[in-house]
Amino acid sequence: MTTDTATRTDEPTTVRRPRGWFWAALAGLISAAALLAVAELFAVLVARSASPVLAVGSVIVDIVPRPLKEFAITVFGESDKIALLAGVGLGAAVAAAVAGVLEYRFRPVGAILLGVGGVLATVAIVTRAGATGLAWLPPVLGTIAGVALLLILSRRLRRWSTAAAAGDAQAAGVSRRGFFLLSGFSAATAIVVGVGARVVNAATASVAAARDALRLPAVRSTVTVPEGASLDVPGLSPLITPNADFYRVDTALTVPNVDPSTWRLTIDGMVDTPVELSFDDLVNMGLDEYGVTLTCVSNEVGGGLVGNAIWQGVPIRDVLRLASPQGDADMVLSESVDGFTASTPLSSLTDDGLDAIFAVAMNGEPLPFEHGFPVRMVVPGLYGYVSATKWVTKLTVTRFDQMEAYWTPRGYSAEAPIKMSSRVDTPKIGSPVPAGKVPIAGMAWAQPIGVKTVEVSIDNGEWQQATLSTPINDQSWVQWMLEWDAQPGTHYISVRATDKQGNVQIQEPAAIAPNGSSGWQRTLVTVS
């Protein structure tokens, strides 16, 4: 005979407790993503510029100390804004994760922290130049949604943890599924809505079609590139820098989209007659071509933050003449649509011998968006931060002792004439060359006076005069070349320029702040 025996235990069921800190951090990240997604969605509807990430990033650009800005430009070059956005995103992600953990352990501290982040983003948005009356609405609604989601997710996580601690497998399973379902749905929705809204925002704000359809009036005069203006040397920079290769340094995290049909230029301040011009008003004043080299104050000796282009535009002096600046004014504060300002000496804009222009085209096509479409300033002989305002929309005629521009309180000079400079393009450091006849070549500029000579010294030997290309004008750079009988070994190449007034390029090294770098470039070359 057999007997069936049932085994029963009275011991409580063991239920694995969740890793609270991990899931809490995830809840914080998802809640922050929801905040951004809702803000981006409503930005599409009421205020396209009200993006929290971009607004906070722009504020960081404004408040970062000058040495860090210089470091970012040196290390990341034209990718500095991508690096900044990545840094802002990483910082936001860490803060969101911390908020999630704090809400789980010390409620409602995490919700308050997330709410403070939303408030700061709101302040950043509404204080930016060009903010609309409803710019506050997207970040506020996004903050409400993010905080609410964090509270709900944290509550479900605590229920799961409590049930698991009590050994209630059924309640723990229900709470766990509820937490995962809500987290997964919220994360997926935030990604789809946030990315979709940003794409729609960018697409609807684009003025690419308007730029493509733009037909500028024929120019009254053109730039003649003389014979011998370009030297045929491999590795030498082209005389005219292609638009795609032209350096870009500005404070805009995203490129402003300005429709030329709605663009306006206002001139006010110390003038007898305030002026407002439309894009058509400006170009109908008459366009001419100008060859002008632009240089960024962040350009190190031998650096690449310099380029030359053929611009089409209207002389700024003709536009200022409409407003009649008053006699005691000495500065013009130009303002970009994104709030950037530059302080330019009034004399540089009214000098009949200096081609300071409102440029509308670059190398035969309307300005690229990255270079100021539809209108930017181009002023020969001054570093860009005091003259080359992109997306320009306003001029205020004033005095240096009454107003200051964006970079002045950040440690840069209010006036910044470009320092004469020269550089070696080839041979390049780290690229050995074979023994024999080797061309040493590069670029030189001395705006607005013009380059007279360029000299090269090998291994601290006598200075040898290089061959210059035929200059377009005194406001553009020139190419230079010296044929060198290279001997095997390691050699130092030094270069210096002299302008048409007999001034020799400054030898003493200087940092880029407060008014541009100086010194003679000294290049190490290996000959095999």
Side-chain angles (χ1 to χ4, degrees):
M1 184 177 72
T2 60
T3 303
D4 294 327
T5 303
T7 303
R8 192 183 76 180
T9 178
D10 294 329
E11 294 180 1
T13 303
T14 300
V15 181
R16 176 180 291 184
R17 297 185 62 178
R19 296 178 179 177
W21 64 269
F22 175 81
W23 297 115
L26 181 63
L29 289 171
I30 294 173
S31 301
L35 185 158
L36 295 176
V38 171
E40 291 287 355
L41 176 62
F42 282 93
V44 172
L45 302 176
V46 299
R48 291 178 179 146
S49 63
S51 168
V53 172
L54 297 181
V56 172
S58 296
V59 170
I60 292 175
V61 168
D62 291 347
I63 65 176
V64 164
R66 188 194 73 224
L68 288 181
K69 293 178 188 286
E70 296 169 359
F71 174 78
I73 292 174
T74 301
V75 174
F76 299 106
E78 296 185 16
S79 299
D80 60 335
K81 296 170 184 61
I82 296 176
L84 174 61
L85 286 175
V88 171
L90 179 61
V94 171
V98 170
V101 173
L102 290 175
E103 181 60 25
Y104 174 65
R105 299 293 300 274
F106 309 104
R107 58 178 177 175
V109 175
I112 293 174
L113 178 61
L114 187 61
V116 168
V119 170
L120 293 177
T122 303
V123 172
I125 288 170
V126 300
T127 55
R128 299 304 295 171
T132 63
L134 291 177
W136 59 271
L137 186 59
V140 168
L141 293 177
T143 301
I144 293 173
V147 169
L149 181 60
L150 180 59
L151 291 173
I152 295 172
L153 287 175
S154 298
R155 187 181 302 118
R156 294 197 176 189
L157 180 58
R158 283 192 294 269
R159 288 177 181 172
W160 174 14
S161 180
T162 301
D168 190 340
Q170 182 177 2
V174 171
S175 299
R176 181 178 65 251
R177 286 191 295 272
F179 176 81
F180 284 159
L181 286 173
L182 181 58
S183 297
F185 176 79
S186 300
T189 302
I191 292 173
V192 172
V193 172
V195 173
R198 174 102 307 258
V199 170
V200 171
N201 195 338
T204 54
S206 173
V207 293
R211 180 181 180 275
D212 291 341
L214 185 63
R215 297 295 179 267
L216 295 172
V219 295
R220 299 176 300 186
S221 64
T222 60
V223 171
T224 300
V225 178
E227 185 177 351
S230 294
L231 302 178
D232 186 14
V233 179
L236 181 60
S237 297
L239 179 68
I240 306 299
T241 309
N243 291 355
D245 298 334
F246 209 96
Y247 77 92
R248 178 197 168 196
V249 176
D250 51 54
T251 62
L253 281 182
T254 56
V255 177
N257 288 323
V258 183
D259 191 329
S261 66
T262 61
W263 177 86
R264 294 293 183 274
L265 174 70
T266 60
I267 304 176
D268 60 15
M270 300 172 64
V271 297
D272 293 337
T273 307
V275 170
E276 179 175 292
L277 298 177
S278 67
F279 184 80
D280 287 341
D281 292 334
L282 179 68
V283 298
N284 288 335
M285 293 180 67
L287 299 179
D288 294 283
E289 280 191 350
Y290 304 87
V292 180
T293 296
L294 296 185
T295 307
C296 179
V297 72
S298 297
N299 192 50
E300 299 280 1
V301 172
L305 298 180
V306 55
N308 189 52
I310 303 299
W311 311 88
Q312 292 179 15
V314 177
I316 297 176
R317 59 178 173 269
D318 292 350
V319 180
L320 285 173
R321 194 175 293 121
L322 300 175
S324 299
Q326 296 171 2
D328 53 345
D330 64 4
M331 188 261 274
V332 172
L333 190 76
S334 55
E335 183 174 342
S336 168
V337 69
D338 68 342
F340 172 82
T341 54
S343 56
T344 310
L346 178 60
S347 58
S348 296
L349 302 179
T350 56
D351 188 342
D352 288 334
L354 201 63
D355 294 330
I357 63 170
F358 288 116
V360 298
M362 180 180 182
N363 292 333
E365 63 178 74
L367 289 172
F369 296 112
E370 296 83 358
H371 293 290
F373 181 82
V375 183
R376 67 168 296 164
M377 293 172 62
V378 172
V379 183
L382 297 177
Y383 285 116
Y385 83 95
V386 297
S387 65
T389 303
K390 303 175 184 177
W391 315 290
V392 63
T393 188
K394 184 179 181 181
L395 300 185
T396 299
V397 180
T398 181
R399 294 185 54 82
F400 280 105
D401 58 7
Q402 294 180 5
M403 300 183 74
E404 61 182 8
Y406 181 91
W407 285 108
T408 307
R410 292 168 170 83
Y412 284 84
S413 300
E415 301 181 56
I418 292 175
K419 296 177 181 178
M420 174 172 39
S421 191
S422 56
R423 77 176 188 213
V424 178
D425 284 0
T426 183
K428 296 184 180 299
I429 297 176
S431 299
V433 296
K437 297 295 184 182
V438 174
I440 303 173
M443 315 300 292
W445 54 95
Q447 295 176 299
I449 300 167
V451 177
K452 179 181 179 182
T453 61
V454 171
E455 297 172 295
V456 178
S457 173
I458 310 296
D459 296 330
N460 298 319
E462 293 184 1
W463 290 98
Q464 304 174 59
Q465 187 165 321
T467 299
L468 292 186
S469 65
T470 304
I472 293 178
N473 55 43
D474 292 337
Q475 299 173 155
S476 295
W477 63 8
V478 295
Q479 299 174 334
W480 59 265
M481 187 271 289
L482 177 73
E483 193 170 81
W484 173 38
D485 186 10
Q487 301 298 315
T490 300
H491 304 275
Y492 283 97
I493 299 173
S494 300
V495 60
R496 70 182 184 186
T498 301
D499 67 22
K500 292 182 178 180
Q501 293 181 350
N503 302 304
V504 179
Q505 180 180 335
I506 299 172
Q507 180 180 7
E508 292 74 22
I512 62 176
N515 55 14
S517 64
S518 67
W520 296 345
Q521 183 182 1
R522 195 165 185 257
T523 302
L524 177 65
V525 176
T526 300
V527 179
S528 59

